Amino acid sequence: MKMFPKNLPEDILISILDESSDYFTLATISYYMSSNNRKYKYKNLKKQINKILLKKLNEIEEFIKHNSLKDFLLSKDFYFVHDFASSTLLFKETKEKLKEIQDQINAAHINFEENGLYNFFLDFIKEHPEPFMRWNADEKTIAREFFTNSLVQSSGY
């Protein structure tokens, strides 16, 4: 979508977010907007993205309070925090909320006495805070990764 040569109408992009504000949709539209010539356009869309993300972050914060950090880290909602932390589209309030949740993650104790995916994953994200979403990937990189992933999947690994 980022490589689409024309600027899509803002109201269409907002209506897409109104239909679905899941991680994939939010990340795809944010990726589209993150190109250099689009960063300063789409003011209403940028507001909508921040509104949706801030609402999601508040829900995540409540989830952690009532459940556990471990349950959150092992959920699909983790990607909202991990990947959007490096997005260039976020307002100050959204960045601060993200940082609060990231601080909880960074303060979490890893019990290396216990084996398990959770401890490995927690250690990994503390050591590698880069997002899984590559906000600045170009067409060549995306095509290479798609091709590599396709080869791995077709070989049965």
Side-chain angles (χ1 to χ4, degrees):
M1 196 166 151
K2 185 176 185 177
M3 289 32 150
F4 192 71
K6 303 269 187 202
N7 288 327
L8 297 171
E10 185 176 47
D11 56 336
I12 289 176
L13 295 170
I14 289 172
S15 69
I16 292 170
L17 280 178
D18 288 342
E19 284 290 316
S20 175
S21 58
D22 63 352
Y23 169 82
F24 180 77
T25 306
L26 202 59
T28 301
I29 291 175
S30 296
Y31 180 74
Y32 170 76
M33 287 181 56
S34 68
S35 69
N36 287 333
N37 62 340
R38 292 186 181 117
K39 280 183 185 174
Y40 304 105
K41 296 180 182 182
Y42 300 113
K43 290 180 183 174
N44 292 325
L45 181 60
K46 191 173 179 178
K47 286 178 191 174
Q48 184 73 2
I49 288 171
N50 277 272
K51 179 182 171 186
I52 292 168
L53 191 55
L54 193 57
K55 180 180 181 227
K56 187 66 177 171
L57 294 173
N58 285 324
E59 290 170 2
I60 288 169
E61 197 170 53
E62 283 300 308
F63 178 85
I64 293 170
K65 281 181 194 174
H66 293 71
N67 296 283
S68 71
L69 183 64
K70 180 179 181 177
D71 290 338
F72 162 65
L73 290 175
L74 298 176
S75 76
K76 63 182 178 176
D77 287 342
F78 168 72
Y79 295 101
F80 283 100
V81 173
H82 191 68
D83 286 2
F84 279 94
S86 63
S87 173
T88 59
L89 304 174
L90 304 183
F91 296 152
K92 183 180 178 185
E93 182 182 12
T94 311
K95 287 179 185 179
E96 288 171 352
K97 182 60 73 177
L98 269 168
K99 177 140 177 39
E100 288 173 19
I101 297 171
Q102 285 179 309
D103 288 347
Q104 289 181 49
I105 295 168
N106 290 330
H109 173 71
I110 301 173
N111 183 357
F112 289 106
E113 305 273 318
E114 297 175 15
N115 290 328
L117 182 59
Y118 168 71
N119 286 332
F120 173 77
F121 186 62
L122 183 57
D123 187 41
F124 176 81
I125 59 175
K126 284 184 174 189
E127 294 292 322
H128 302 90
E130 308 84 39
F132 300 121
M133 175 68 168
R134 298 175 97 197
W135 297 110
N136 59 352
D138 59 9
E139 285 180 59
K140 194 179 206 177
T141 303
I142 292 170
R144 183 179 31 215
E145 287 184 12
F146 180 75
F147 180 72
T148 303
N149 287 338
S150 296
L151 283 176
V152 169
Q153 287 177 359
S154 68
S155 67
Y157 290 105

